[in-house]
Amino acid sequence: MANISTKLSERDLIRKPKARSLWSKWGITLFLMALPTIVYVFIFHYLPLEGLIISFKDYNSFQGIWGSPWTEMGGFKHFHTFVTAPNFWTLVKNTLVLSVLSIVFNSTLPILYALFLNEVRFKWAKKTVQIIMYAPYFISTVVMVGILFVLFRADTGSITKILVTLGFEGSSAMSNPKAFVAIYIISGLWQGLGWWSIVYMGSLANVDPNLHDAAKIDGAGRLRRIFSVNFPSILPLAIIMLIMSIGNILNVGFEKVYLMYTPGNSVASEIISTYVYRISFPDYGLPQFSYATAIGLFNSVINIIILVTANFISKKVSDNSLW
């Protein structure tokens, strides 16, 4: 027994240096591979956080970030000003309407599209549909919004003419606040539906064919197999994507909303992000950097709270979560 234990201890002593050398070799290699990303994230995502301090100060460029005086109300003056502003609830309402509707349609329709496209048996037809649906995603937002203005022109717009023949008014829908939300959502689906479904198509490709064979033996039709076999396989991924979308509920796409903005639809198109931009770079007067930073910080904190809450609820209900 003593000889056996001696041999085992000798083997352990021989193996341990090899394990350490292997770890040191691959550990350094992996660290060097990740180092550029770490440096990039640190420089462009963590160092700028220092600038958040101006949301608690009356910042001016002459005194700098640290030299500028602190605001009243313990540094929360700008937050109080925003929350008590006359347009606060309008901004929040417009942001939530666009965001919630975008989450609902952008989360459900790509799933349905992927489920039914996966059932197309002719490869040429499937690839043709995919190419047609992917193509709009590569159109820049500026060009896409320009197309919308052309299509909805009051005098020569193609869609405007169709609406007139159906009995609607001949004015430009881009200047109509009632039509702004519908145009924003529908154009977003037209541009991104195919691209958003890619992750679900990849997940469906990994579904075990034996599950479908077993469902066929049990008498399940195609529609039944879609919702009993395919849908459960992509449900965890769909929940993760939904949680990530909910975490950005107040971060509606700034660029598209800003480009679609007109004086006529400003009642519906003015959201938090565009408001921050306008007070940061006003047409007249001095920029309000401290006030704009306070609004942005308020927006981020609310998003974090919503993200953590959504993740907690999802973990309790479905056992699927980000962490």
Side-chain angles (χ1 to χ4, degrees):
M1 292 295 292
N3 293 333
I4 294 174
S5 61
T6 303
K7 290 181 180 179
L8 290 175
S9 61
E10 290 177 354
R11 289 178 183 177
D12 294 338
L13 292 173
I14 294 173
R15 289 177 180 175
K16 284 181 180 179
K18 291 182 178 179
R20 284 198 296 269
S21 62
L22 183 65
W23 166 250
S24 62
K25 177 183 177 181
W26 288 106
I28 293 174
T29 302
L30 295 174
F31 176 76
L32 291 176
M33 290 176 62
L35 184 60
T37 303
I38 295 173
V39 173
Y40 171 82
V41 172
F42 178 76
I43 293 176
F44 294 100
H45 292 270
Y46 282 93
L47 287 182
L49 292 177
E50 177 190 3
L52 293 177
I53 196 70
I54 70 174
S55 61
F56 303 96
K57 293 190 169 189
D58 288 324
Y59 171 77
N60 64 79
S61 57
F62 296 102
Q63 294 178 300
I65 295 176
W66 297 105
S68 299
W70 296 92
T71 64
E72 302 171 358
M73 303 179 65
F76 289 91
K77 184 185 77 172
H78 298 304
F79 298 94
H80 179 266
T81 301
F82 175 60
V83 173
T84 58
N87 61 343
F88 172 76
W89 290 111
T90 301
L91 293 172
V92 172
K93 185 196 73 173
N94 292 343
T95 303
L96 288 177
V97 167
L98 290 180
S99 185
V100 171
L101 290 178
S102 296
I103 290 174
V104 170
F105 288 102
N106 297 348
S107 299
T108 56
L109 293 185
I111 296 174
L112 296 176
Y113 168 75
L115 288 172
F116 287 103
L117 183 63
N118 186 64
E119 297 301 312
V120 177
R121 299 307 177 198
F122 299 101
K123 291 185 177 180
W124 63 269
K126 189 174 183 178
K127 290 182 178 180
T128 301
V129 172
Q130 285 179 313
I131 292 173
I132 293 173
M133 295 298 293
Y134 293 163
Y137 182 81
F138 298 98
I139 300 175
S140 70
T141 305
V142 177
V143 174
M144 191 268 293
V145 175
I147 293 173
L148 291 177
F149 274 101
V150 172
L151 293 176
F152 285 100
R153 285 188 62 177
D155 50 355
T156 60
S158 302
I159 297 181
T160 302
K161 291 181 179 180
I162 295 174
L163 294 175
V164 170
T165 58
L166 295 176
F168 293 93
E169 296 181 0
S171 59
S172 175
M174 296 298 290
S175 299
N176 186 351
K178 296 180 180 180
F180 175 81
V181 176
I183 295 174
Y184 178 89
I185 298 298
I186 294 173
S187 61
L189 286 172
W190 169 75
Q191 188 176 25
L193 180 61
W195 185 261
W196 297 330
S197 65
I198 288 179
V199 291
Y200 300 116
M201 293 295 296
S203 181
L204 289 171
N206 295 323
V207 176
D208 189 356
N210 294 326
L211 296 176
H212 285 279
D213 294 336
K216 289 179 181 178
I217 295 174
D218 291 338
R222 175 171 292 187
L223 190 62
R224 179 67 177 177
R225 284 186 281 114
I226 289 175
F227 291 99
S228 297
V229 178
N230 289 342
F231 181 70
S233 67
I234 65 174
L235 184 59
L237 176 61
I239 292 175
I240 297 298
M241 299 291 286
L242 178 61
I243 294 173
M244 295 177 66
S245 299
I246 292 175
N248 290 313
I249 195 168
L250 295 181
N251 290 335
V252 183
F254 160 77
E255 184 181 7
K256 184 179 177 182
V257 177
Y258 182 76
L259 292 171
M260 292 178 63
Y261 175 88
T262 64
N265 64 24
S266 60
V267 177
S269 63
E270 188 72 288
I271 59 176
I272 293 177
S273 57
T274 58
Y275 179 68
V276 169
Y277 179 82
R278 296 184 200 285
I279 63 177
S280 299
F281 306 99
D283 295 332
Y284 305 98
L286 296 175
Q288 304 178 56
F289 292 128
S290 294
Y291 185 42
T293 305
I295 298 174
L297 181 58
F298 171 85
N299 199 29
S300 299
V301 170
I302 297 300
N303 279 331
I304 292 174
I305 294 173
I306 294 175
L307 174 62
V308 173
T309 304
N311 186 78
F312 176 78
I313 295 173
S314 175
K315 190 173 183 178
K316 291 294 182 181
V317 174
S318 64
D319 292 330
N320 294 305
S321 61
L322 290 175
W323 62 84

